[in-house]
Amino acid sequence: MVDQVTADAKWYSTSIDPQILASTTLALFQSGVVNETNLLAHVRARRHDFTKLTG
């Protein structure tokens, strides 16, 4: 999942907070988003939530 999200946005994986990404993904899955395509779409829509601020 991290690879797909970072590739889409052309981010380096170090700009992603893996713990927040994992908890976001788990929360979505537990709320019923179980289809991988839908799950990825939801995660992509929330990517600002787990992007580390730099600078």
Side-chain angles (χ1 to χ4, degrees), residues 16-37:
I16 300 292
D17 187 322
Q19 292 176 333
I20 296 174
L21 174 56
S23 65
T24 299
T25 304
L26 182 59
L28 287 165
F29 187 80
Q30 290 176 332
S31 70
V33 183
V34 294
N35 175 285
E36 183 178 357
T37 302

Side-chain angles (χ1 to χ4, degrees), residues 1-8 16 21-22 24-26 28-29 33 35-44 50:
M1 179 85 55
V2 172
D3 291 338
Q4 290 175 313
V5 171
T6 56
D8 283 351
I16 300 292
L21 174 56
T24 299
T25 304
L26 182 59
L28 287 165
F29 187 80
V33 183
N35 175 285
E36 183 178 357
T37 302
N38 291 339
L39 188 59
L40 187 55
H42 283 281
V43 168
R44 287 174 177 154
F50 49 81

